[in-house]
Amino acid sequence: MVLNTHSFRALRVRSNTLSSTWLALRQSSSTHSKTNRRRVVITGLGVVSPVGCSVETAWRTILSGQSKIGRLVGETFDKLPCRVAATIDKNDVDLDKCFPKSELKTMARSTAFALIAAKEALTVAGWKPPVEDEVACQRTGVAIGMGMVDLMDICETNDALNKGYNRVSPFFIPRILPNMPAGQLSIRYGFRGPNHAVSTACATGAHSIGDAFRFIQHDDADVMVCGGAEACISPLGIAGFCRLRALSTSFNDEPTASSRPFDEHRDGFVMGEGSAILVLEELEHAKSRGVPIYGEILGYGLSGDASHLTAPREDGTGAILAMTRALTDANVTVADIGYVNAHATSTPIGDAIEARSIRTLFGEHTKTIAVSSTKGAHGHLLGAAGNIEALFTLLACKHGVFPPTVNLNSITQDMAGLRYVANKSEPWESERRRVALKNSFGFGGTNACLCIGEYKE
């Protein structure tokens, strides 16, 4: 996520120094070796999102090139500069029908989304060990994060307090704690492995998957249920991001055109909500159960910009470091990558810096990769962005198809040089193993990159 400003003076290029630096990093990644590492595969997927509330539906919508962003209705929203968002239709998911009232009052909307997505993922993985199976439960962990709490929950509870102390719900604090999606899931299924929650703004979902990957690699668990959840669309949330000049405001009368990553007329991101959950599993553990394997997490890279509260470094080094470290961790080179699923949120500066960082890192291999951002279809899910987009990246590797960037109609000269997948999906034709990078960046300069690959013996 990045600050929306139309000033491009920050996009100065330090080309000579950067080129030599990243060339050395690319070369070093080719000689990096990994030994005795536990391989980590994906055996379960689940999603609750604006583009669909099952993996099959969401993937079909993404490949169709449709935008599911709509207009925010209500007098309070009508007073705000941004009046669009990507919300989950109650006809698709009615929380009142999914949970007893006694359970709903204990959890935030985002937690409910995570539990629904996790149920699908665990069903697909066929992994629901009984609580009496001590070994299985102790070797299964949870890593689910949240970017922001529901600000309206806080406002409404403050109003209740003004009416009297006894009006404050005893579940108020548990509802707003960012680790409660992980906590609720662990309690529900009896998972007693690592219980982990990440809150790194819009890198949350990717960090959650990456951390879960390492828990399995380091033998802290055999199975990890991981991802992110977000549900913070409210007048106060919209107002706050508008004050940062981060949101799109030019397409209130044409909501489906409002999120347009990399496009010349992009003017800010569009808030979304939902959750995506992946079940990661140590390879031999998965093979012993005979379950289908959807793909493999190959590497994980992290970095910090150390630069600005909301904007990425103007030279793109934060993104380049994260991508380079993911490549090194995966023991692959830029020549092995066929696709980059970009963080690209539809902000003027952020998308341009990410495009430049990809060009800088990949160098002469830039022409061989495809780049897209699915946020044009589902908006920016903040803390659930990296995980839902990792899910789509995984499916791209598995099925051999590049998901499109919706609303990408024209680019400016500073965005040239990349093969953007615009508006229509494209086949991923390759005689080699399909391997991709998934970027996620957050406020505070936090960056994550996942290297995801097609599963091969």
Side-chain angles (χ1 to χ4, degrees), residues 391-409:
L391 185 151
F392 294 140
T393 305
L394 169 70
L395 293 176
C397 292
K398 177 175 174 57
H399 297 297
V401 58
F402 299 124
T405 303
V406 177
N407 296 317
L408 178 52
N409 300 321

Side-chain angles (χ1 to χ4, degrees), residues 92-342:
D92 292 331
V93 172
D94 186 343
L95 297 183
D96 292 326
K97 294 180 179 178
C98 295
F99 300 93
K101 186 176 295 185
S102 59
E103 286 189 10
L104 271 183
K105 68 181 182 181
T106 71
M107 66 180 75
R109 181 175 166 87
S110 56
T111 298
F113 289 157
L115 292 176
I116 295 170
K119 181 178 180 180
E120 180 184 12
L122 289 166
T123 300
V124 169
W127 186 247
K128 294 183 183 178
V131 292
E132 59 267 21
D133 187 339
E134 292 284 338
V135 174
C137 288
Q138 290 178 13
R139 298 289 296 173
T140 302
V142 180
I144 302 175
M146 180 195 307
M148 284 178 56
V149 301
D150 185 350
L151 299 179
M152 288 309 297
D153 201 352
I154 296 173
C155 292
E156 290 169 0
T157 301
N158 185 68
D159 290 341
L161 177 60
N162 290 334
K163 297 175 182 177
Y165 160 76
N166 290 330
R167 297 290 189 95
V168 175
S169 168
F171 299 108
F172 168 62
I173 296 299
R175 281 203 306 262
I176 66 170
L177 292 177
N179 72 310
M180 277 303 163
Q184 289 263 15
L185 183 64
S186 173
I187 293 167
R188 180 172 292 256
Y189 292 99
F191 298 151
R192 298 193 293 280
N195 189 315
H196 185 60
V198 178
S199 186
T200 48
C202 301
T204 295
H207 276 137
S208 297
I209 295 170
D211 289 353
F213 162 67
R214 289 195 172 164
F215 288 145
I216 296 176
Q217 275 193 329
H218 290 276
D219 202 17
D220 294 311
D222 293 323
V223 180
M224 289 294 301
V225 185
C226 59
E230 199 74 81
C232 60
I233 298 172
S234 68
L236 182 56
I238 296 287
F241 281 118
C242 280
R243 291 292 291 160
L244 281 174
R245 297 181 62 200
L247 299 184
S248 173
T249 59
S250 300
F251 299 91
N252 290 328
D253 295 327
E254 193 180 0
T256 57
S258 56
S259 181
R260 41 197 323 112
F262 299 120
D263 186 74
E264 178 180 7
H265 300 292
R266 66 192 186 277
D267 73 325
F269 73 83
V270 176
M271 290 180 70
E273 62 180 2
S275 178
I277 300 295
L278 277 62
V279 176
L280 306 190
E281 193 165 347
E282 191 273 327
L283 174 59
E284 296 305 320
H285 189 277
K287 288 169 69 173
S288 71
R289 299 195 301 118
V291 294
I293 293 174
Y294 288 84
E296 183 171 1
I297 305 294
L298 302 174
Y300 175 39
L302 309 85
S303 74
D305 281 347
S307 177
H308 191 273
L309 286 177
T310 57
R313 286 185 66 92
E314 61 185 59
D315 58 13
T317 54
I320 296 171
L321 282 170
M323 288 188 285
T324 301
R325 289 166 181 169
L327 292 171
T328 301
D329 190 46
N331 200 26
V332 300
T333 70
V334 292
D336 297 309
I337 303 300
Y339 172 56
V340 176
N341 185 287

Side-chain angles (χ1 to χ4, degrees), residues 40-60:
V40 181
V41 296
I42 301 100
T43 56
L45 309 170
V47 67
V48 174
S49 77
V51 291
C53 294
S54 70
V55 172
E56 181 182 356
T57 301
W59 182 234
R60 184 169 60 246

Side-chain angles (χ1 to χ4, degrees), residues 62-78:
I62 288 296
L63 294 184
S64 73
Q66 300 177 63
S67 168
K68 291 297 183 178
I69 296 169
R71 182 180 175 86
L72 288 167
V73 178
E75 184 178 348
T76 310
F77 288 116
D78 290 342

